[in-house]
Each structure stands twice: as structure tokens, then as C-alpha cells.
Amino acid sequence: MPIDTDMVTYTFDERNRLRGVLNETTGETSTYTYYGDGLRATKTENGAQTNTAMSSPSQAQMARN
């Protein structure tokens, strides 16, 4: 999503991980969740969720639902 930083709100959690992005001009949103080890578990952009599946400790695969 193109970003005009004057009109974008970023939300971070207590571990300084990105939890959400809101483009106030277009209304587009992104949210993120994380596994306990800090790796990203999901990304949701405007209702479309992408899951991250771990097949080994050093490899992450993206799967779109």
C-alpha cells in the first residue's frame, strides 16, 4: 500500500512489534499478529489474511487464505 506518512497511523505493541497500519486517506488497514518467539504469524490487509507457517526454525512460508 502506498504510504503518505502524514496520513498514516502506525500502532506498536509493548515489544515494539508493528500491530497495525491505518491509511487515513484511503481507509485501508493492515494488522499483524506474532508467535511467542516474535516471528510474524499473520498479516491482514483490508480483510485478506496471510498466514506464516513455520516448516523449520530457519524457514517461513507464506500461505494466503
Side-chain angles (χ1 to χ4, degrees), residues 19-39:
R19 295 306 303 251
V21 179
L22 169 62
N23 183 320
E24 296 174 30
T25 301
T26 65
E28 292 178 323
T29 62
S30 299
T31 59
Y32 305 88
T33 64
Y34 297 86
Y35 293 110
D37 61 6
L39 295 175

Side-chain angles (χ1 to χ4, degrees), residues 39-54:
L39 295 175
R40 191 175 74 202
T42 65
K43 174 177 77 172
T44 304
E45 289 184 304
N46 302 312
Q49 182 172 314
T50 302
N51 296 318
T52 304
M54 301 301 294

Side-chain angles (χ1 to χ4, degrees), residues 5-26:
T5 56
D6 291 334
M7 301 303 291
V8 176
T9 301
Y10 298 92
T11 306
F12 295 86
D13 67 12
E14 65 281 349
R15 295 178 69 186
N16 206 30
R17 299 175 297 196
L18 181 63
R19 295 306 303 251
V21 179
L22 169 62
N23 183 320
E24 296 174 30
T25 301
T26 65

